[in-house]
Amino acid sequence: MKEHEKITRKKLLNDCRILYGQLQECNGNLSSEDNFIVNSSLGDALDLLTTSDDQISHLLAEVLSISRLYLIAKQI
């Protein structure tokens, strides 16, 4: 494996770790254990889900961008 490929793969792996961490932050916990549902209005719950959905959509766009860059770099 060429040195350039190794560097590219390491960067891709690092980018994936970052995205995974960001995805974990999007994880809206609506379980009754935390009393979120009990102590929050329906509007609050919907706002949280909308925010989480928006963040996940943004992360998916980043994943697509990173994967395209990786494929381009791999062809070089």
Side-chain angles (χ1 to χ4, degrees):
M1 182 181 303
K2 296 178 184 176
E3 187 64 26
H4 177 71
E5 288 178 22
K6 287 181 185 179
I7 292 169
T8 301
R9 286 186 183 193
K10 285 180 181 180
K11 181 173 178 359
L12 176 65
L13 183 58
N14 184 56
D15 290 345
C16 288
R17 284 185 184 126
I18 291 168
L19 289 172
Y20 178 77
Q22 291 173 339
L23 182 60
Q24 294 303 309
E25 292 172 9
C26 295
N27 193 10
N29 188 356
L30 298 177
S31 70
S32 58
E33 309 175 332
D34 294 333
N35 295 320
F36 180 83
I37 295 173
V38 175
N39 295 328
S40 298
S41 70
L42 179 59
D44 291 340
L46 290 175
D47 287 345
L48 178 64
L49 289 175
T50 300
T51 299
S52 180
D53 187 51
D54 291 346
Q55 290 172 329
I56 290 170
S57 295
H58 176 73
L59 290 173
L60 286 173
E62 284 187 52
V63 167
L64 288 174
S65 176
I66 289 169
S67 65
R68 286 185 189 123
L69 291 173
Y70 175 73
L71 289 174
I72 290 169
K74 189 175 178 183
Q75 293 174 355
I76 294 175

